[in-house]
Amino acid sequence: MKRTGLDAIDIRILGAVQRHGQLSKTRLAEIVNLSPTPCWARLDRLKAAGLIRGYRAEIALERIVDFTRVIVTVSLTHHRRADFDRFEAHIAGLDEITDCVATGGGMDYIMTVYVRNVAAFEALMAGLLDSDLGIDRYVTYFTTRSVKHAPPDLATLAPAARPSADMS
């Protein structure tokens, strides 16, 4: 994956968009401390480079519907590329599984599952087990509350950004 060279202003723009979503030209420029026109030009460049995948709203799901969130760790019986591919293709088609990451170590995957209730979760897991995906074992963790949910701090993760090439 090719990394794009970003300067400190680009990082601030991406951080602002990540934190606040779509912003007016004026508001984004205020947050980034840059005049509106060059700020917007940089945002357009960042979009064109594919660095912004989209904009989403964070919905207060608990205020709309009752649901059960379950974290599930999964270990496969075999560790061939075809086994991982089959499992991942199946998971990609299940709307109840909103997040699935492959991991190294004791478990192969960690999934976040949203269902209406425990019975729906049991039915989902029975379907996974019946689908011959090579699941060796799984462990479930029923969540009781969210303690922290935030995007990563881009400024902390980005290497020391190169000085701004007078794009302002």
Side-chain angles (χ1 to χ4, degrees):
M1 177 182 340
K2 185 176 186 260
R3 304 265 188 247
T4 304
L6 302 173
D7 64 20
I9 294 171
D10 292 332
I11 297 296
R12 288 197 314 264
I13 291 169
L14 291 171
V17 170
Q18 180 184 41
R19 196 171 309 106
H20 304 290
Q22 286 183 306
L23 296 163
S24 71
K25 183 188 292 191
T26 304
R27 182 66 184 130
L28 180 60
E30 287 171 1
I31 292 171
V32 174
N33 196 25
L34 187 66
S35 59
T37 300
C39 184
W40 210 250
R42 282 174 174 259
L43 179 63
D44 286 342
R45 183 176 49 82
L46 295 168
K47 286 179 184 177
L51 298 177
I52 299 171
R53 291 189 179 133
Y55 298 92
R56 292 168 189 79
E58 188 170 334
I59 306 298
L61 193 57
E62 68 282 355
R63 295 184 63 187
I64 300 168
V65 65
D66 288 329
F67 65 92
T68 298
R69 180 177 49 206
V70 187
I71 306 300
V72 183
T73 60
V74 175
S75 179
L76 300 182
T77 303
H78 302 288
H79 295 99
R80 299 174 299 236
R81 179 78 267 163
D83 298 308
F84 293 126
D85 290 346
R86 184 175 59 251
F87 180 83
E88 291 170 17
H90 189 85
I91 293 305
L94 298 174
D95 291 338
E96 298 90 343
I97 299 173
T98 60
D99 192 44
C100 180
V101 295
T103 62
M107 290 291 170
D108 298 314
Y109 297 96
I110 300 172
M111 305 184 306
T112 302
V113 179
Y114 284 84
V115 289
R116 289 185 178 178
N117 52 39
V118 174
F121 175 73
E122 289 174 342
L124 175 72
M125 289 311 298
L128 286 174
L129 295 171
D130 290 344
S131 295
D132 193 31
L133 298 172
I135 295 174
D136 179 42
R137 67 185 185 279
Y138 69 93
V139 178
T140 60
Y141 302 91
F142 289 89
T143 64
T144 56
R145 62 190 170 96
S146 184
V147 175
K148 182 177 182 180
H149 175 75
D153 181 3
L154 188 57
T156 302
L157 290 176
R162 60 182 169 72
S164 174
D166 193 35
M167 295 179 76
S168 49

